[in-house]
């Protein structure tokens, strides 16, 4: 009897030792869904009734402000979020541009196919990182995801259709997330082009923007409720971001550039107010800068000489001279004056340019944590951390996002 008792105790001790040294079983594979609402300024959440986005924060995390990279434009920042690189490194420096190295145009009228040409895109977007590590991904209209970057596209992707209703985009994402498990994407990134369009037309301080924000919130509510109905909802992480904010324009604060400079010196230019990259006739860049020095309410610099804080880089697509309007000022030409009431592209230190970041899911804290403003170069690393991917080299840092995470399994 005593011998049996000793054997039992010995067996229990061995079992405890085994339990202590065997690692925890791998948690269930998690999913990540990232939604970008173009031009959703950070303070729209305070100005409008947004119960669905508020719920995400209450049971997850939010940033006070999400800081874009410079220039604070759509293509540049969507691709920065995807790669963790600033525009001066990944090369998507404007929504459309001339590439002096290849002699080709990107996304100019008549050059739509260039958007699907991977040679224009530097860095490694997160869907390429995932696909090369055996993970299925899907994108609906995210900048860069139509192209064969490094010869790779997402397993599922959509060619951009501006007029595709938002509810159809929701249906597309839900379809992907209901595929059989072996075909189901673990990463889904999708895009809405509002409230950017209305922000340009109305201006962000116009009260008429509020119903649109509330409508977008209700659409997100529809999307989230349908996610909740999925049997694997408890494995899904949700991130909602925007690429930039929006500034109110004052019609009295308009710089007519051709009143100050000799336009015959300009070969071409990319971008639009408030930030423009100019190609200047060979040998005349200094003359052009001397003329710009007399222009009020702008800043300008030669390529590679931008303020260090902007980290604009030296990419050849930045051309010879960059001109940036002061906050709330616009750059126009006497023969073509914009009637927009809102704009973005300004210095990324301007809070009007800052966007939103909200997140919820098994990888995130669930205590309504409010994070101090942080830069969008860290989003790539956050996505890689959640999906347990080996990340590419980026301008972001892992330490910058760890406070957002529930690190029990990390």
């Amino acid at each position: 009897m005593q011998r049996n008792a000793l054997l039992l105790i010995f067996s229990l001790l061995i079992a405890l030792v085994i339990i202590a040294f065997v690692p925890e079983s791998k948690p269930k594979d998690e999913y990540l869904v990232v939604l970008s609402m173009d031009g959703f300024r950070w303070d729209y959440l305070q100005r409008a009734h947004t119960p669905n986005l508020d719920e995400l924060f209450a049971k997850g995390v939010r940033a006070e402000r999400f800081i874009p990279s410079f220039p604070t434009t759509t293509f540049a920042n969507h691709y920065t979020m995807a790669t963790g690189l600033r525009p001066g490194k990944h090369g998507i420096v404007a929504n459309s541009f001339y590439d002096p190295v290849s002699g080709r145009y990107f996304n100019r009228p008549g050059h739509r196919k260039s958007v699907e040409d991977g040679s224009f895109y530097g860095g490694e977007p997160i869907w390429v990182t995932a696909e090369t590590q055996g993970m299925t991904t899907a994108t609906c209209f995210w900048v860069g995801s139509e192209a064969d970057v490094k010869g790779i596209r997402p397993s599922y992707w959509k060619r951009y259709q501006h007029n595709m209703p938002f509810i159809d985009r929701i249906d597309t994402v839900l379809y992907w997330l209901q595929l059989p498990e072996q075909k189901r994407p673990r990463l889904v990134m999708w895009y809405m082009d509002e409230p950017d369009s209305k922000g340009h037309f109305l201006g962000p301080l116009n009260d008429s923007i509020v119903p649109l924000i509330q409508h977008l919130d209700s659409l997100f509510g529809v999307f989230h409720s349908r996610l909740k109905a999925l049997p694997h909802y408890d494995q899904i992480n949700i991130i909602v971001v925007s690429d930039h904010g929006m500034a109110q324009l004052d019609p009295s604060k308009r710089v007519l550039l051709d009143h100050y400079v000799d336009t015959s010196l300009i070969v071409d230019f990319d971008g639009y107010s408030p930030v423009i990259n100019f190609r200047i006739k060979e040998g005349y860049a200094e003359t052009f800068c001397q003329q710009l020095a007399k222009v009020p309410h702008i800043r300008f610099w030669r390529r590679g000489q931008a303020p260090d804080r902007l980290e604009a880089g030296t990419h050849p697509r930045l051309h010879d001279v960059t001109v940036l309007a002061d906050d709330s000022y616009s750059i126009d030409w006497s023969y073509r004056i914009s009637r927009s009431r809102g704009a973005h592209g300004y210095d990324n230190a301007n809070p009007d340019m800052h966007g939103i970041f909200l997140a919820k899911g098994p990888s995130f804290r669930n205590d309504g944590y409010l994070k101090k403003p942080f830069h969008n170069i860290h989003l790539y690393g956050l996505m890689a951390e959640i999906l347990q991917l080996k990340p590419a080299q980026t301008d972001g840092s892992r330490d910058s996002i760890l406070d957002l995470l529930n690190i029990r399994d990390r």
Side-chain angles (χ1 to χ4, degrees):
M1 186 74 177
Q2 187 177 3
R3 183 171 177 273
N4 289 340
L6 288 171
L7 283 172
L8 179 60
I9 292 170
F10 183 69
S11 299
L12 287 171
L13 286 171
I14 290 175
L16 288 171
V17 169
I18 290 172
I19 290 170
F21 286 95
V22 171
E24 289 185 47
S25 60
K26 186 180 182 295
K28 287 183 178 180
D29 287 338
E30 293 182 10
Y31 299 83
L32 176 59
V33 178
V34 185
L35 165 63
S36 172
M37 294 185 183
D38 196 329
F40 200 117
R41 196 166 114 160
W42 68 277
D43 59 352
Y44 285 166
L45 292 170
Q46 283 80 57
R47 291 183 53 207
H49 181 55
T50 54
N52 298 293
L53 290 169
D54 293 346
E55 178 194 347
L56 202 69
F57 166 51
K59 298 179 181 179
V61 298
R62 177 168 72 85
E64 290 178 2
R65 286 175 274 119
F66 195 45
I67 305 173
S69 297
F70 180 80
T72 52
T73 54
T74 297
F75 271 60
N77 277 281
H78 274 96
Y79 201 60
T80 285
M81 288 189 284
T83 61
L85 297 175
R86 293 183 176 87
K89 288 187 180 177
H90 62 57
I92 305 301
V93 298
N95 289 354
S96 61
F97 53 80
Y98 172 73
D99 178 24
V101 175
S102 66
R104 295 181 299 151
Y105 292 99
F106 174 83
N107 199 34
R108 286 231 185 141
H111 297 268
R112 177 63 181 78
K113 290 297 291 183
S114 62
V115 171
E116 298 178 24
D117 183 346
S119 67
F120 280 105
Y121 300 85
E124 182 175 294
I126 188 67
W127 53 83
V128 172
T129 302
E131 293 280 349
T132 56
Q133 294 178 40
M135 184 177 291
T136 302
T137 67
T139 57
C140 182
F141 304 163
W142 199 283
V143 171
S145 66
E146 298 175 54
D148 54 341
V149 181
K150 294 188 172 183
I152 297 170
R153 286 185 172 92
S155 296
Y156 310 101
W157 60 278
K158 300 285 286 185
R159 186 170 281 109
Y160 187 65
Q161 302 170 53
H162 183 73
N163 293 325
M164 183 178 184
F166 292 157
I167 198 69
D168 290 354
R169 304 182 198 196
I170 290 172
D171 289 342
T172 297
V173 172
L174 266 295
Y175 169 77
W176 286 331
L177 289 170
Q178 294 176 86
L179 288 171
E181 188 173 0
Q182 65 274 19
K183 295 183 178 181
R184 190 184 304 151
R186 293 265 307 284
L187 169 67
V188 180
M189 302 176 74
W190 64 295
Y191 167 80
M192 290 183 174
D193 47 275
E194 289 287 10
D196 181 77
S197 297
K198 289 292 192 299
H200 282 293
F201 180 71
L202 297 170
L205 302 184
N206 190 315
D207 287 341
S208 295
I209 204 80
V210 172
L212 172 62
I213 300 303
Q214 294 176 173
H215 176 62
L216 293 171
D217 179 76
S218 69
L219 284 171
F220 176 76
V222 170
F223 174 65
H224 195 193
S225 66
R226 291 178 64 183
L227 281 183
K228 289 177 181 177
L230 299 177
H232 51 288
Y233 172 72
D234 62 350
Q235 298 168 244
I236 298 175
N237 294 285
I238 307 163
I239 297 176
V240 179
V241 295
S242 57
D243 50 347
H244 53 71
M246 188 70 68
Q248 186 74 33
L249 294 179
D250 183 337
S252 69
K253 296 180 176 180
R254 193 185 305 280
V255 176
L256 298 179
L257 204 59
D258 54 321
H259 284 188
Y260 298 91
V261 303
D262 180 358
T263 57
S264 70
L265 301 182
I266 301 170
V267 176
D268 198 1
F269 61 88
D270 293 325
Y272 42 83
S273 180
V275 58
I276 306 174
N277 299 318
F278 288 93
R279 275 199 295 152
I280 304 301
K281 283 183 179 178
E282 189 172 352
Y284 285 92
E286 190 57 40
T287 301
F288 188 68
C289 287
Q290 290 170 2
Q291 295 173 0
L292 288 172
K294 300 175 184 178
V295 183
H297 307 300
I298 67 162
R299 286 177 282 169
F300 65 92
W301 52 83
R302 300 281 294 271
R303 181 162 55 90
Q305 297 177 7
D308 291 343
R309 180 181 52 76
L310 294 178
E311 302 192 64
T314 60
H315 203 287
R317 295 171 188 167
L318 294 170
H319 303 321
D320 301 303
V321 180
T322 296
V323 177
L324 174 66
D326 290 347
D327 292 345
S328 79
Y329 279 82
S330 57
I331 299 170
D332 275 310
W333 311 91
S334 58
Y335 58 86
R336 189 182 65 191
I337 296 177
S338 170
R339 302 301 177 189
S340 295
R341 295 174 177 85
H344 54 87
Y346 296 100
D347 189 322
N348 64 344
N350 179 352
D352 291 350
M353 295 298 96
H354 298 178
I356 59 168
F357 172 94
L358 305 98
K360 175 183 175 292
S363 281
F364 290 101
R365 296 171 56 152
N366 60 4
D367 57 351
Y369 175 62
L370 182 63
K371 182 178 175 62
K372 294 294 185 184
F374 76 108
H375 288 261
N376 66 0
I377 55 171
H378 303 299
L379 183 64
Y380 171 97
L382 176 62
M383 294 187 287
E385 184 75 17
I386 290 169
L387 296 171
Q388 309 266 312
L389 297 169
K390 182 180 178 181
Q393 199 72 29
T394 73
D395 292 327
S397 70
R398 183 174 184 267
D399 290 345
S400 296
I401 51 88
L402 289 179
D403 60 325
L404 293 166
L405 296 172
N406 174 359
I407 59 173
R408 66 190 185 284
D409 297 318
R410 298 178 190 282

